Amino acid sequence: MKWLIENWYLVVAGVVCCVGVVYGCRVFMNKPTNEQAANIKEWLRWAVMEAERELQGGTGQAKLRKVYDMAIAKFPWLSFIAFDKFSIWVDDALVWMKEQLKVNENIKAYVEGK
């Protein structure tokens, strides 16, 4: 007992290290697999269209925030992914949407609310 009282800081340091290791393992294990990332990228296409439909043009950062909020609500573990990587995924979905708006009249009508 005397050793514990004299060396309490070692016990605290050990507990903090253990918590850090468990947290790091949890973050690593919750990272998406390639299949999950592909599914999210497909879902992001829909989310980008919904944000464009609701907010229309000229609101890039607001649309990005809306898509991010929708994604976190649908996939809570996405909060472990760096926002920069998520933003790249959204940019890819935007490129796809712009291509679709040019060639697909049904998508264009949907996004424009007609």
Side-chain angles (χ1 to χ4, degrees), residues 36-66:
Q36 289 171 326
N39 288 339
I40 290 168
K41 289 176 184 179
E42 280 294 318
W43 180 86
L44 282 174
R45 292 177 176 182
W46 171 82
V48 166
M49 284 194 309
E50 288 298 313
E52 179 70 26
R53 182 176 186 205
E54 185 177 322
L55 300 174
Q56 295 302 313
T59 57
Q61 290 298 315
K63 285 187 275 190
L64 178 60
R65 172 51 64 185
K66 178 158 183 68

PDB file of all heavy atoms in Angstrom, residues 36-66:
ATOM      1  N   GLN A  36     -16.744  -0.640 -47.954  1.00  0.00           N
ATOM      2  CA  GLN A  36     -17.518   0.385 -47.264  1.00  0.00           C
ATOM      3  C   GLN A  36     -17.284   1.754 -47.893  1.00  0.00           C
ATOM      4  O   GLN A  36     -18.219   2.533 -48.064  1.00  0.00           O
ATOM      5  CB  GLN A  36     -17.153   0.430 -45.784  1.00  0.00           C
ATOM      6  CG  GLN A  36     -17.645  -0.752 -44.995  1.00  0.00           C
ATOM      7  CD  GLN A  36     -17.073  -0.751 -43.587  1.00  0.00           C
ATOM      8  OE1 GLN A  36     -15.943  -0.338 -43.363  1.00  0.00           O
ATOM      9  NE2 GLN A  36     -17.865  -1.227 -42.640  1.00  0.00           N
ATOM     10  N   ALA A  37     -16.045   2.048 -48.237  1.00  0.00           N
ATOM     11  CA  ALA A  37     -15.734   3.333 -48.861  1.00  0.00           C
ATOM     12  C   ALA A  37     -16.446   3.451 -50.209  1.00  0.00           C
ATOM     13  O   ALA A  37     -16.974   4.523 -50.536  1.00  0.00           O
ATOM     14  CB  ALA A  37     -14.225   3.479 -49.030  1.00  0.00           C
ATOM     15  N   ALA A  38     -16.501   2.382 -50.972  1.00  0.00           N
ATOM     16  CA  ALA A  38     -17.200   2.406 -52.261  1.00  0.00           C
ATOM     17  C   ALA A  38     -18.692   2.657 -52.059  1.00  0.00           C
ATOM     18  O   ALA A  38     -19.311   3.422 -52.806  1.00  0.00           O
ATOM     19  CB  ALA A  38     -16.966   1.102 -53.011  1.00  0.00           C
ATOM     20  N   ASN A  39     -19.281   2.016 -51.050  1.00  0.00           N
ATOM     21  CA  ASN A  39     -20.701   2.232 -50.762  1.00  0.00           C
ATOM     22  C   ASN A  39     -20.969   3.669 -50.331  1.00  0.00           C
ATOM     23  O   ASN A  39     -21.976   4.258 -50.716  1.00  0.00           O
ATOM     24  CB  ASN A  39     -21.185   1.266 -49.677  1.00  0.00           C
ATOM     25  CG  ASN A  39     -21.284  -0.148 -50.181  1.00  0.00           C
ATOM     26  OD1 ASN A  39     -21.375  -0.393 -51.377  1.00  0.00           O
ATOM     27  ND2 ASN A  39     -21.242  -1.102 -49.271  1.00  0.00           N
ATOM     28  N   ILE A  40     -20.076   4.219 -49.543  1.00  0.00           N
ATOM     29  CA  ILE A  40     -20.248   5.600 -49.101  1.00  0.00           C
ATOM     30  C   ILE A  40     -20.143   6.548 -50.287  1.00  0.00           C
ATOM     31  O   ILE A  40     -20.921   7.502 -50.412  1.00  0.00           O
ATOM     32  CB  ILE A  40     -19.217   5.961 -48.025  1.00  0.00           C
ATOM     33  CG1 ILE A  40     -19.544   5.220 -46.742  1.00  0.00           C
ATOM     34  CG2 ILE A  40     -19.168   7.462 -47.771  1.00  0.00           C
ATOM     35  CD1 ILE A  40     -18.459   5.261 -45.713  1.00  0.00           C
ATOM     36  N   LYS A  41     -19.206   6.276 -51.181  1.00  0.00           N
ATOM     37  CA  LYS A  41     -19.055   7.126 -52.365  1.00  0.00           C
ATOM     38  C   LYS A  41     -20.309   7.078 -53.231  1.00  0.00           C
ATOM     39  O   LYS A  41     -20.725   8.101 -53.781  1.00  0.00           O
ATOM     40  CB  LYS A  41     -17.826   6.704 -53.164  1.00  0.00           C
ATOM     41  CG  LYS A  41     -16.534   7.050 -52.462  1.00  0.00           C
ATOM     42  CD  LYS A  41     -15.333   6.531 -53.224  1.00  0.00           C
ATOM     43  CE  LYS A  41     -14.048   6.790 -52.464  1.00  0.00           C
ATOM     44  NZ  LYS A  41     -12.870   6.266 -53.163  1.00  0.00           N
ATOM     45  N   GLU A  42     -20.933   5.923 -53.340  1.00  0.00           N
ATOM     46  CA  GLU A  42     -22.207   5.813 -54.071  1.00  0.00           C
ATOM     47  C   GLU A  42     -23.293   6.615 -53.360  1.00  0.00           C
ATOM     48  O   GLU A  42     -24.062   7.334 -53.985  1.00  0.00           O
ATOM     49  CB  GLU A  42     -22.647   4.348 -54.186  1.00  0.00           C
ATOM     50  CG  GLU A  42     -21.968   3.590 -55.267  1.00  0.00           C
ATOM     51  CD  GLU A  42     -22.313   4.096 -56.653  1.00  0.00           C
ATOM     52  OE1 GLU A  42     -23.489   4.408 -56.931  1.00  0.00           O
ATOM     53  OE2 GLU A  42     -21.380   4.205 -57.460  1.00  0.00           O
ATOM     54  N   TRP A  43     -23.369   6.479 -52.043  1.00  0.00           N
ATOM     55  CA  TRP A  43     -24.371   7.209 -51.270  1.00  0.00           C
ATOM     56  C   TRP A  43     -24.134   8.715 -51.385  1.00  0.00           C
ATOM     57  O   TRP A  43     -25.095   9.496 -51.431  1.00  0.00           O
ATOM     58  CB  TRP A  43     -24.325   6.762 -49.801  1.00  0.00           C
ATOM     59  CG  TRP A  43     -25.324   7.457 -48.966  1.00  0.00           C
ATOM     60  CD1 TRP A  43     -26.629   7.095 -48.783  1.00  0.00           C
ATOM     61  CD2 TRP A  43     -25.126   8.641 -48.190  1.00  0.00           C
ATOM     62  NE1 TRP A  43     -27.250   7.990 -47.944  1.00  0.00           N
ATOM     63  CE2 TRP A  43     -26.340   8.947 -47.571  1.00  0.00           C
ATOM     64  CE3 TRP A  43     -24.036   9.473 -47.971  1.00  0.00           C
ATOM     65  CZ2 TRP A  43     -26.504  10.051 -46.744  1.00  0.00           C
ATOM     66  CZ3 TRP A  43     -24.193  10.564 -47.148  1.00  0.00           C
ATOM     67  CH2 TRP A  43     -25.411  10.852 -46.546  1.00  0.00           C
ATOM     68  N   LEU A  44     -22.876   9.135 -51.432  1.00  0.00           N
ATOM     69  CA  LEU A  44     -22.554  10.559 -51.537  1.00  0.00           C
ATOM     70  C   LEU A  44     -23.094  11.169 -52.823  1.00  0.00           C
ATOM     71  O   LEU A  44     -23.422  12.357 -52.853  1.00  0.00           O
ATOM     72  CB  LEU A  44     -21.046  10.783 -51.448  1.00  0.00           C
ATOM     73  CG  LEU A  44     -20.451  10.725 -50.048  1.00  0.00           C
ATOM     74  CD1 LEU A  44     -18.937  10.811 -50.125  1.00  0.00           C
ATOM     75  CD2 LEU A  44     -21.003  11.825 -49.165  1.00  0.00           C
ATOM     76  N   ARG A  45     -23.203  10.389 -53.869  1.00  0.00           N
ATOM     77  CA  ARG A  45     -23.788  10.903 -55.103  1.00  0.00           C
ATOM     78  C   ARG A  45     -25.215  11.376 -54.853  1.00  0.00           C
ATOM     79  O   ARG A  45     -25.611  12.448 -55.300  1.00  0.00           O
ATOM     80  CB  ARG A  45     -23.756   9.840 -56.201  1.00  0.00           C
ATOM     81  CG  ARG A  45     -22.359   9.521 -56.669  1.00  0.00           C
ATOM     82  CD  ARG A  45     -22.363   8.426 -57.691  1.00  0.00           C
ATOM     83  NE  ARG A  45     -21.015   8.196 -58.203  1.00  0.00           N
ATOM     84  CZ  ARG A  45     -20.731   7.317 -59.133  1.00  0.00           C
ATOM     85  NH1 ARG A  45     -21.690   6.567 -59.667  1.00  0.00           N
ATOM     86  NH2 ARG A  45     -19.488   7.174 -59.540  1.00  0.00           N
ATOM     87  N   TRP A  46     -25.978  10.557 -54.142  1.00  0.00           N
ATOM     88  CA  TRP A  46     -27.350  10.936 -53.808  1.00  0.00           C
ATOM     89  C   TRP A  46     -27.354  12.157 -52.882  1.00  0.00           C
ATOM     90  O   TRP A  46     -28.131  13.094 -53.086  1.00  0.00           O
ATOM     91  CB  TRP A  46     -28.072   9.764 -53.132  1.00  0.00           C
ATOM     92  CG  TRP A  46     -29.396  10.173 -52.574  1.00  0.00           C
ATOM     93  CD1 TRP A  46     -30.566  10.292 -53.259  1.00  0.00           C
ATOM     94  CD2 TRP A  46     -29.658  10.555 -51.229  1.00  0.00           C
ATOM     95  NE1 TRP A  46     -31.552  10.729 -52.408  1.00  0.00           N
ATOM     96  CE2 TRP A  46     -31.028  10.891 -51.158  1.00  0.00           C
ATOM     97  CE3 TRP A  46     -28.893  10.647 -50.085  1.00  0.00           C
ATOM     98  CZ2 TRP A  46     -31.629  11.308 -49.981  1.00  0.00           C
ATOM     99  CZ3 TRP A  46     -29.498  11.066 -48.912  1.00  0.00           C
ATOM    100  CH2 TRP A  46     -30.843  11.388 -48.871  1.00  0.00           C
ATOM    101  N   ALA A  47     -26.497  12.146 -51.872  1.00  0.00           N
ATOM    102  CA  ALA A  47     -26.465  13.240 -50.902  1.00  0.00           C
ATOM    103  C   ALA A  47     -26.093  14.559 -51.573  1.00  0.00           C
ATOM    104  O   ALA A  47     -26.665  15.612 -51.244  1.00  0.00           O
ATOM    105  CB  ALA A  47     -25.488  12.915 -49.776  1.00  0.00           C
ATOM    106  N   VAL A  48     -25.175  14.530 -52.504  1.00  0.00           N
ATOM    107  CA  VAL A  48     -24.779  15.747 -53.226  1.00  0.00           C
ATOM    108  C   VAL A  48     -25.947  16.272 -54.053  1.00  0.00           C
ATOM    109  O   VAL A  48     -26.207  17.481 -54.092  1.00  0.00           O
ATOM    110  CB  VAL A  48     -23.533  15.467 -54.098  1.00  0.00           C
ATOM    111  CG1 VAL A  48     -23.293  16.558 -55.107  1.00  0.00           C
ATOM    112  CG2 VAL A  48     -22.306  15.291 -53.212  1.00  0.00           C
ATOM    113  N   MET A  49     -26.685  15.368 -54.696  1.00  0.00           N
ATOM    114  CA  MET A  49     -27.856  15.807 -55.462  1.00  0.00           C
ATOM    115  C   MET A  49     -28.904  16.433 -54.558  1.00  0.00           C
ATOM    116  O   MET A  49     -29.505  17.449 -54.896  1.00  0.00           O
ATOM    117  CB  MET A  49     -28.463  14.630 -56.241  1.00  0.00           C
ATOM    118  CG  MET A  49     -27.678  14.261 -57.458  1.00  0.00           C
ATOM    119  SD  MET A  49     -28.542  13.161 -58.601  1.00  0.00           S
ATOM    120  CE  MET A  49     -29.099  11.846 -57.551  1.00  0.00           C
ATOM    121  N   GLU A  50     -29.126  15.827 -53.386  1.00  0.00           N
ATOM    122  CA  GLU A  50     -30.108  16.376 -52.447  1.00  0.00           C
ATOM    123  C   GLU A  50     -29.688  17.761 -51.951  1.00  0.00           C
ATOM    124  O   GLU A  50     -30.513  18.672 -51.855  1.00  0.00           O
ATOM    125  CB  GLU A  50     -30.296  15.431 -51.257  1.00  0.00           C
ATOM    126  CG  GLU A  50     -31.037  14.172 -51.594  1.00  0.00           C
ATOM    127  CD  GLU A  50     -32.456  14.436 -52.080  1.00  0.00           C
ATOM    128  OE1 GLU A  50     -33.182  15.219 -51.445  1.00  0.00           O
ATOM    129  OE2 GLU A  50     -32.829  13.866 -53.115  1.00  0.00           O
ATOM    130  N   ALA A  51     -28.414  17.914 -51.633  1.00  0.00           N
ATOM    131  CA  ALA A  51     -27.927  19.214 -51.167  1.00  0.00           C
ATOM    132  C   ALA A  51     -28.028  20.252 -52.281  1.00  0.00           C
ATOM    133  O   ALA A  51     -28.421  21.403 -52.027  1.00  0.00           O
ATOM    134  CB  ALA A  51     -26.476  19.094 -50.681  1.00  0.00           C
ATOM    135  N   GLU A  52     -27.718  19.871 -53.497  1.00  0.00           N
ATOM    136  CA  GLU A  52     -27.825  20.792 -54.637  1.00  0.00           C
ATOM    137  C   GLU A  52     -29.280  21.176 -54.875  1.00  0.00           C
ATOM    138  O   GLU A  52     -29.593  22.331 -55.128  1.00  0.00           O
ATOM    139  CB  GLU A  52     -27.232  20.143 -55.892  1.00  0.00           C
ATOM    140  CG  GLU A  52     -27.307  21.010 -57.122  1.00  0.00           C
ATOM    141  CD  GLU A  52     -26.389  22.215 -57.079  1.00  0.00           C
ATOM    142  OE1 GLU A  52     -25.357  22.177 -56.388  1.00  0.00           O
ATOM    143  OE2 GLU A  52     -26.710  23.211 -57.755  1.00  0.00           O
ATOM    144  N   ARG A  53     -30.154  20.211 -54.755  1.00  0.00           N
ATOM    145  CA  ARG A  53     -31.583  20.472 -54.961  1.00  0.00           C
ATOM    146  C   ARG A  53     -32.111  21.439 -53.906  1.00  0.00           C
ATOM    147  O   ARG A  53     -32.880  22.345 -54.204  1.00  0.00           O
ATOM    148  CB  ARG A  53     -32.344  19.157 -54.894  1.00  0.00           C
ATOM    149  CG  ARG A  53     -33.810  19.299 -55.138  1.00  0.00           C
ATOM    150  CD  ARG A  53     -34.482  17.955 -55.142  1.00  0.00           C
ATOM    151  NE  ARG A  53     -35.872  18.115 -55.525  1.00  0.00           N
ATOM    152  CZ  ARG A  53     -36.819  17.290 -55.199  1.00  0.00           C
ATOM    153  NH1 ARG A  53     -36.535  16.217 -54.499  1.00  0.00           N
ATOM    154  NH2 ARG A  53     -38.051  17.500 -55.568  1.00  0.00           N
ATOM    155  N   GLU A  54     -31.689  21.242 -52.684  1.00  0.00           N
ATOM    156  CA  GLU A  54     -32.199  22.069 -51.590  1.00  0.00           C
ATOM    157  C   GLU A  54     -31.571  23.461 -51.561  1.00  0.00           C
ATOM    158  O   GLU A  54     -32.271  24.459 -51.367  1.00  0.00           O
ATOM    159  CB  GLU A  54     -31.955  21.377 -50.249  1.00  0.00           C
ATOM    160  CG  GLU A  54     -32.544  22.106 -49.076  1.00  0.00           C
ATOM    161  CD  GLU A  54     -32.356  21.352 -47.780  1.00  0.00           C
ATOM    162  OE1 GLU A  54     -32.465  20.106 -47.788  1.00  0.00           O
ATOM    163  OE2 GLU A  54     -32.095  22.008 -46.766  1.00  0.00           O
ATOM    164  N   LEU A  55     -30.263  23.539 -51.754  1.00  0.00           N
ATOM    165  CA  LEU A  55     -29.564  24.812 -51.575  1.00  0.00           C
ATOM    166  C   LEU A  55     -29.246  25.537 -52.880  1.00  0.00           C
ATOM    167  O   LEU A  55     -28.878  26.708 -52.847  1.00  0.00           O
ATOM    168  CB  LEU A  55     -28.272  24.581 -50.784  1.00  0.00           C
ATOM    169  CG  LEU A  55     -28.465  23.985 -49.392  1.00  0.00           C
ATOM    170  CD1 LEU A  55     -27.119  23.674 -48.762  1.00  0.00           C
ATOM    171  CD2 LEU A  55     -29.267  24.907 -48.505  1.00  0.00           C
ATOM    172  N   GLN A  56     -29.346  24.841 -54.009  1.00  0.00           N
ATOM    173  CA  GLN A  56     -29.049  25.401 -55.335  1.00  0.00           C
ATOM    174  C   GLN A  56     -27.618  25.900 -55.444  1.00  0.00           C
ATOM    175  O   GLN A  56     -26.776  25.554 -54.633  1.00  0.00           O
ATOM    176  CB  GLN A  56     -30.069  26.483 -55.694  1.00  0.00           C
ATOM    177  CG  GLN A  56     -31.490  25.947 -55.857  1.00  0.00           C
ATOM    178  CD  GLN A  56     -31.608  24.869 -56.924  1.00  0.00           C
ATOM    179  OE1 GLN A  56     -31.100  25.016 -58.018  1.00  0.00           O
ATOM    180  NE2 GLN A  56     -32.253  23.761 -56.597  1.00  0.00           N
ATOM    181  N   GLY A  57     -27.320  26.718 -56.422  1.00  0.00           N
ATOM    182  CA  GLY A  57     -25.951  27.114 -56.727  1.00  0.00           C
ATOM    183  C   GLY A  57     -25.413  28.215 -55.826  1.00  0.00           C
ATOM    184  O   GLY A  57     -26.149  28.936 -55.168  1.00  0.00           O
ATOM    185  N   GLY A  58     -24.096  28.340 -55.808  1.00  0.00           N
ATOM    186  CA  GLY A  58     -23.425  29.406 -55.086  1.00  0.00           C
ATOM    187  C   GLY A  58     -23.303  29.210 -53.591  1.00  0.00           C
ATOM    188  O   GLY A  58     -22.947  30.136 -52.882  1.00  0.00           O
ATOM    189  N   THR A  59     -23.576  28.012 -53.109  1.00  0.00           N
ATOM    190  CA  THR A  59     -23.520  27.753 -51.664  1.00  0.00           C
ATOM    191  C   THR A  59     -22.623  26.563 -51.382  1.00  0.00           C
ATOM    192  O   THR A  59     -23.004  25.661 -50.636  1.00  0.00           O
ATOM    193  CB  THR A  59     -24.930  27.505 -51.103  1.00  0.00           C
ATOM    194  OG1 THR A  59     -25.513  26.409 -51.819  1.00  0.00           O
ATOM    195  CG2 THR A  59     -25.823  28.715 -51.232  1.00  0.00           C
ATOM    196  N   GLY A  60     -21.442  26.572 -51.948  1.00  0.00           N
ATOM    197  CA  GLY A  60     -20.549  25.410 -51.879  1.00  0.00           C
ATOM    198  C   GLY A  60     -20.247  24.929 -50.477  1.00  0.00           C
ATOM    199  O   GLY A  60     -20.387  23.743 -50.174  1.00  0.00           O
ATOM    200  N   GLN A  61     -19.829  25.817 -49.591  1.00  0.00           N
ATOM    201  CA  GLN A  61     -19.475  25.407 -48.229  1.00  0.00           C
ATOM    202  C   GLN A  61     -20.704  24.942 -47.450  1.00  0.00           C
ATOM    203  O   GLN A  61     -20.626  24.002 -46.661  1.00  0.00           O
ATOM    204  CB  GLN A  61     -18.773  26.551 -47.481  1.00  0.00           C
ATOM    205  CG  GLN A  61     -17.382  26.840 -48.008  1.00  0.00           C
ATOM    206  CD  GLN A  61     -16.464  25.638 -47.854  1.00  0.00           C
ATOM    207  OE1 GLN A  61     -16.429  24.986 -46.822  1.00  0.00           O
ATOM    208  NE2 GLN A  61     -15.718  25.334 -48.902  1.00  0.00           N
ATOM    209  N   ALA A  62     -21.843  25.582 -47.686  1.00  0.00           N
ATOM    210  CA  ALA A  62     -23.081  25.168 -47.005  1.00  0.00           C
ATOM    211  C   ALA A  62     -23.496  23.776 -47.478  1.00  0.00           C
ATOM    212  O   ALA A  62     -23.933  22.944 -46.675  1.00  0.00           O
ATOM    213  CB  ALA A  62     -24.192  26.171 -47.256  1.00  0.00           C
ATOM    214  N   LYS A  63     -23.343  23.531 -48.774  1.00  0.00           N
ATOM    215  CA  LYS A  63     -23.675  22.200 -49.298  1.00  0.00           C
ATOM    216  C   LYS A  63     -22.728  21.143 -48.744  1.00  0.00           C
ATOM    217  O   LYS A  63     -23.163  20.049 -48.386  1.00  0.00           O
ATOM    218  CB  LYS A  63     -23.636  22.196 -50.827  1.00  0.00           C
ATOM    219  CG  LYS A  63     -24.827  22.887 -51.452  1.00  0.00           C
ATOM    220  CD  LYS A  63     -24.849  22.715 -52.947  1.00  0.00           C
ATOM    221  CE  LYS A  63     -23.989  23.774 -53.572  1.00  0.00           C
ATOM    222  NZ  LYS A  63     -24.117  23.864 -55.024  1.00  0.00           N
ATOM    223  N   LEU A  64     -21.455  21.478 -48.664  1.00  0.00           N
ATOM    224  CA  LEU A  64     -20.481  20.534 -48.100  1.00  0.00           C
ATOM    225  C   LEU A  64     -20.841  20.213 -46.660  1.00  0.00           C
ATOM    226  O   LEU A  64     -20.820  19.055 -46.249  1.00  0.00           O
ATOM    227  CB  LEU A  64     -19.066  21.102 -48.192  1.00  0.00           C
ATOM    228  CG  LEU A  64     -17.949  20.243 -47.598  1.00  0.00           C
ATOM    229  CD1 LEU A  64     -17.873  18.886 -48.285  1.00  0.00           C
ATOM    230  CD2 LEU A  64     -16.620  20.973 -47.701  1.00  0.00           C
ATOM    231  N   ARG A  65     -21.189  21.219 -45.872  1.00  0.00           N
ATOM    232  CA  ARG A  65     -21.578  21.012 -44.472  1.00  0.00           C
ATOM    233  C   ARG A  65     -22.835  20.167 -44.387  1.00  0.00           C
ATOM    234  O   ARG A  65     -22.952  19.264 -43.562  1.00  0.00           O
ATOM    235  CB  ARG A  65     -21.779  22.368 -43.797  1.00  0.00           C
ATOM    236  CG  ARG A  65     -22.374  22.311 -42.404  1.00  0.00           C
ATOM    237  CD  ARG A  65     -21.697  21.369 -41.454  1.00  0.00           C
ATOM    238  NE  ARG A  65     -20.345  21.727 -41.170  1.00  0.00           N
ATOM    239  CZ  ARG A  65     -19.537  20.980 -40.432  1.00  0.00           C
ATOM    240  NH1 ARG A  65     -19.942  19.839 -39.924  1.00  0.00           N
ATOM    241  NH2 ARG A  65     -18.319  21.348 -40.202  1.00  0.00           N
ATOM    242  N   LYS A  66     -23.814  20.420 -45.270  1.00  0.00           N
ATOM    243  CA  LYS A  66     -25.052  19.637 -45.259  1.00  0.00           C
ATOM    244  C   LYS A  66     -24.768  18.174 -45.584  1.00  0.00           C
ATOM    245  O   LYS A  66     -25.269  17.277 -44.909  1.00  0.00           O
ATOM    246  CB  LYS A  66     -26.056  20.210 -46.256  1.00  0.00           C
ATOM    247  CG  LYS A  66     -27.343  19.416 -46.313  1.00  0.00           C
ATOM    248  CD  LYS A  66     -28.461  20.218 -46.851  1.00  0.00           C
ATOM    249  CE  LYS A  66     -29.767  19.455 -46.842  1.00  0.00           C
ATOM    250  NZ  LYS A  66     -30.267  19.198 -45.510  1.00  0.00           N
TER     251      LYS A  66
END
